[in-house]
Amino acid sequence: EAQVTQNPRYLITVTGKKLTVTCSQNMNHEYMSWYRQDPGLGLRQIYYSMNVEVTDKGDVPEGYKVSRKEKRNFPLILESPSPNQTSLYFCASSSTRGHGYTFGSGTRLTVV
Amino acid sequence: GENVEQHPSTLSVQEGDSAVIKCTYSDSASNYFPWYKQELGKRPQLIIDIRSNVGEKKDQRIAVTLNKTAKHFSLHITETQPEDSAVYFCAARDLNTGFQKLVFGTGTRLLVSP
C-alpha cells in the first residue's frame, strides 16, 4: 500500500530533550515536506526537500532540523524542544510538481 | 512570498444544501490550487485540484472554480451530506519554481446537520 509513515503518533517530552520524528514513504517520491498544524493557523511548512541531500527552509524553520540521506526518509529533528513547539506535525510527499501532497498520519507532540 | 486567505472559518449548513468556501492568493505566479479535506483526528487528504489554465473542474458533488484575474478560487459542494463535515483547506503553489512550496489557507470547518 502506497503510504507515508510517521512515528511516533504521540509524544510527550520535556523541554530541552532532543527528539526525532521519523518519516518514510514507499512511493519513490522526490519531494518531501514537514508541516505543523496549529489551531487557527492552518498548516505551516517547516522544511522541504526536493531530493536526496537537497533541503530548504519553509515558513517556520526555527528550532528544527531535517536531513535527506535517503530518498524514502525525511526525519524531523528537534535539538532542544520548547513548549512553543507543542503542535501536530505532518510529513508529506509528492511525486511531481503537478500533484498535491500525500500526508502521513501525523505526530502529536507535547513539550512540557 | 505567497499568502492564502480562506473564508469563512466556520460554515454550518443543512443536509442537502450547497456549501461554498472561498480563497484568495497574493502571488500571481501561483498556478496550482489543491483542496484538502481533514476529518477529525485524520490526515489532510486531497479531494480536488485545479491548474491555472482551467477555469472550473468538477468531480461528482464537488467543484472548484478559479478566477486568475481576481486571484481567487472557490470550492463548491452540492447536496451536502453529514459525512462532508470536516475541515477544508485550500492551498496554492507555483509549479514553475524549483521548490515544493505549497502554501495553505487557515481552514474552514464545515458542519452539515441532518
Side-chain angles (χ1 to χ4, degrees):
Chain A
E1 180 187 353
Q3 59 185 358
V4 178
T5 303
Q6 282 180 242
N7 281 297
R9 289 292 308 277
Y10 302 92
L11 179 59
I12 301 174
T13 190
V14 296
T15 298
K17 185 176 181 181
K18 181 179 179 180
L19 67 91
T20 299
V21 183
T22 63
C23 175
S24 180
Q25 50 93 4
N26 62 1
M27 296 168 281
N28 201 37
H29 285 171
E30 294 84 5
Y31 306 109
M32 299 186 74
S33 184
W34 277 102
Y35 286 85
R36 61 178 289 174
Q37 184 175 17
D38 302 289
L41 297 178
L43 291 152
R44 295 180 293 167
Q45 191 175 48
I46 304 171
Y47 269 94
Y48 58 90
S49 170
M50 289 180 64
N51 215 321
V52 175
E53 303 292 2
V54 181
T55 64
D56 207 347
K57 298 177 181 179
D59 295 318
V60 288
E62 294 76 21
Y64 304 95
K65 285 175 57 177
V66 294
S67 68
R68 188 91 182 273
K69 294 184 171 60
E70 303 167 285
K71 194 173 186 179
R72 63 184 292 126
N73 296 325
F74 191 44
L76 179 70
I77 303 158
L78 285 72
E79 295 271 2
S80 183
S82 62
N84 64 11
Q85 292 178 299
T86 292
S87 186
L88 177 60
Y89 292 87
F90 285 101
C91 179
S93 72
S94 172
S95 61
T96 70
R97 297 177 184 179
H99 293 82
Y101 275 128
T102 298
F103 283 85
S105 298
T107 295
R108 186 166 292 282
L109 172 66
T110 301
V111 183
V112 298
Chain B
E2 175 64 276
N3 181 53
V4 178
E5 295 189 357
Q6 184 172 348
H7 300 281
S9 57
T10 59
L11 179 59
S12 294
V13 300
Q14 292 292 121
E15 183 177 0
D17 289 348
S18 295
V20 180
I21 302 170
K22 299 181 179 181
C23 289
T24 60
Y25 61 99
S26 61
D27 189 351
S28 56
S30 289
N31 49 24
Y32 175 68
F33 308 94
W35 285 88
Y36 289 83
K37 175 183 180 181
Q38 186 179 29
E39 297 176 347
L40 190 62
K42 301 283 184 66
R43 74 192 78 188
Q45 291 195 301
L46 179 69
I47 56 171
I48 195 168
D49 56 11
I50 191 169
R51 300 195 188 194
S52 58
N53 59 349
V54 176
E56 183 176 2
K57 184 176 179 180
K58 291 183 179 180
D59 183 4
Q60 299 183 330
R61 294 187 297 108
I62 61 173
V64 57
T65 58
L66 171 65
N67 184 326
K68 286 190 296 183
T69 303
K71 288 192 282 190
H72 67 70
F73 56 112
S74 300
L75 178 71
H76 305 254
I77 306 174
T78 59
E79 301 173 20
T80 54
Q81 301 167 4
E83 51 265 39
D84 293 329
S85 296
V87 177
Y88 292 81
F89 292 97
C90 62
R93 186 167 89 209
D94 177 6
L95 295 178
N96 294 323
T97 57
F99 54 85
Q100 286 288 289
K101 190 168 181 64
L102 188 62
V103 180
F104 285 85
T106 51
T108 296
R109 185 174 300 278
L110 174 64
L111 176 61
V112 181
S113 302

